[in-house]
């Protein structure tokens, strides 16, 4: 989570992280797919992670989220 705060591409992304026994669930809203991909990459870089369940969505131009 700390790495997300310092990365200029994703520090303002609304992401929630739930961790349990080496599994992460990511949820939240990003402006584009590249931001989601970067968050997922950081998640896999964490020590001891066995599974990443990505439930993040994209913000559309009207300001509402879409999955």
């Amino acid at each position: 989570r700390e790495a997300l705060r310092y990365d200029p591409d994703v520090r303002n992304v609304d992401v929630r992280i739930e961790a349990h026994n080496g599994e992460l669930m990511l949820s939240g809203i990003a402006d584009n797919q590249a931001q989601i991909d970067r968050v997922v990459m950081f998640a896999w870089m964490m020590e001891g992670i066995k599974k990443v369940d990505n439930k993040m969505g994209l913000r559309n131009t009207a300001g509402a989220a879409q999955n």
Side-chain angles (χ1 to χ4, degrees):
R1 190 160 187 71
E2 197 69 19
L4 297 176
R5 292 182 190 170
Y6 295 108
D7 187 289
D9 294 328
V10 295
R11 72 172 151 223
N12 295 320
V13 173
D14 174 25
V15 61
R16 286 172 295 288
I17 302 170
E18 294 181 38
H20 185 69
N21 291 333
E23 297 184 6
L24 294 179
M25 187 186 76
L26 307 173
S27 60
I29 305 298
D31 293 326
N32 56 59
Q33 186 63 46
Q35 288 179 328
I36 293 174
D37 294 344
R38 192 144 178 92
V39 170
V40 171
M41 178 194 72
F42 279 121
W44 277 112
M45 290 172 62
M46 294 174 63
E47 188 174 331
I49 297 305
K50 299 179 231 172
K51 179 181 177 184
V52 175
D53 185 10
N54 176 20
K55 298 197 179 289
M56 294 185 69
L58 292 172
R59 185 181 327 275
N60 67 20
T61 56
Q66 60 184 4
N67 286 328

